[in-house]
């Protein structure tokens, strides 16, 4: 097996190209529901966690605070999210999905999953597992 040298400058570009390749079909699916990819990540993360604070949501959905604030405002205005202050700390915001948000998640998830299944069908399960493991290793370096 030949070793390919990847320099510091090309790795981020390769990762970005891979990301764009993966999310392209998801974006098309989400646009049918007037959702951006970031809005979907928020809905998905909140759905999986039940409720969580804004800091945890930002971290788990990989969205920076200022962008998250705008996304939360929009999703709340559209009736998909509920926000309340934490009983233990009035400065902490607790976010959950409304019934409308849960219905939207249930409607969109099968279509997003179908996109992922199509991608996974083009890459062996072993290679997909390797990619995920390697990305987890890279993420762990900074944490």
């Amino acid at each position: 097996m030949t070793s390919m040298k990847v320099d510091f400058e090309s790795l981020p570009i390769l990762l970005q190209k891979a990301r764009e390749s993966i999310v392209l079909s998801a974006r098309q699916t989400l646009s049918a529901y007037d959702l951006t990819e970031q809005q979907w990540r928020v809905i998905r993360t909140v759905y999986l966690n039940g409720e969580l604070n804004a800091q945890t949501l930002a971290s788990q959905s990989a969205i920076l605070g200022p962008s998250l604030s705008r996304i939360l405002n929009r999703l709340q205005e559209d009736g998909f999210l509920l926000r309340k202050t934490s009983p233990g700390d009035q400065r902490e915001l607790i976010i959950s999905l409304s019934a409308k948000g849960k219905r939207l998640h249930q409607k969109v998830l099968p279509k997003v999953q179908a996109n992922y299944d199509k991608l996974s069908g083009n890459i062996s399960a072993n290679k997909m597992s390797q990619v995920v493991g390697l990305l987890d290793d890279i993420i762990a370096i900074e944490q």
Side-chain angles (χ1 to χ4, degrees):
M1 179 176 197
T2 59
S3 176
M4 183 174 98
K5 185 176 187 313
V6 178
D7 64 43
F8 179 75
E9 293 298 319
S10 61
L11 183 59
I13 292 168
L14 288 170
L15 291 169
Q16 185 64 31
K17 285 180 177 180
R19 180 189 183 285
E20 288 302 313
S21 174
I22 290 169
V23 299
L24 181 63
S25 62
R27 277 193 193 122
Q28 293 168 342
T29 298
L30 296 172
S31 70
Y33 295 93
D34 197 26
L35 290 171
T36 66
E37 179 211 345
Q38 286 185 323
Q39 289 168 337
W40 174 249
R41 287 195 333 243
V42 166
I43 290 169
R44 183 80 178 130
T45 302
V46 175
Y47 181 86
L48 291 171
N49 288 278
E51 66 177 30
L52 62 171
N53 67 37
Q55 292 77 17
T56 303
L57 177 56
S59 173
Q60 289 188 7
S61 62
I63 299 173
L64 298 176
S67 294
L68 181 62
S69 182
R70 288 189 296 278
I71 293 166
L72 293 177
N73 287 339
R74 163 81 194 280
L75 292 175
Q76 185 177 20
E77 287 169 11
D78 291 347
F80 299 124
L81 283 184
L82 304 171
R83 294 194 275 189
K84 64 182 179 186
T85 54
S86 169
D89 183 351
Q90 294 298 307
R91 297 167 296 177
E92 183 180 43
L93 191 61
I94 304 296
I95 298 140
S96 60
L97 285 181
S98 66
K100 181 179 178 182
K102 290 175 185 173
R103 286 192 302 272
L104 177 66
H105 177 271
Q106 292 304 100
K107 194 184 309 180
V108 175
L109 181 63
K111 293 172 176 58
V112 172
Q113 186 64 47
N115 290 333
Y116 180 77
D117 291 345
K118 183 178 175 186
L119 170 71
S120 296
N122 292 323
I123 299 174
S124 73
N126 186 42
K127 281 187 178 180
M128 187 63 84
S129 180
Q130 288 175 335
V131 168
V132 170
L134 292 169
L135 291 172
D136 282 343
D137 290 348
I138 291 170
I139 292 165
I141 292 168
E142 290 299 317
Q143 296 179 5

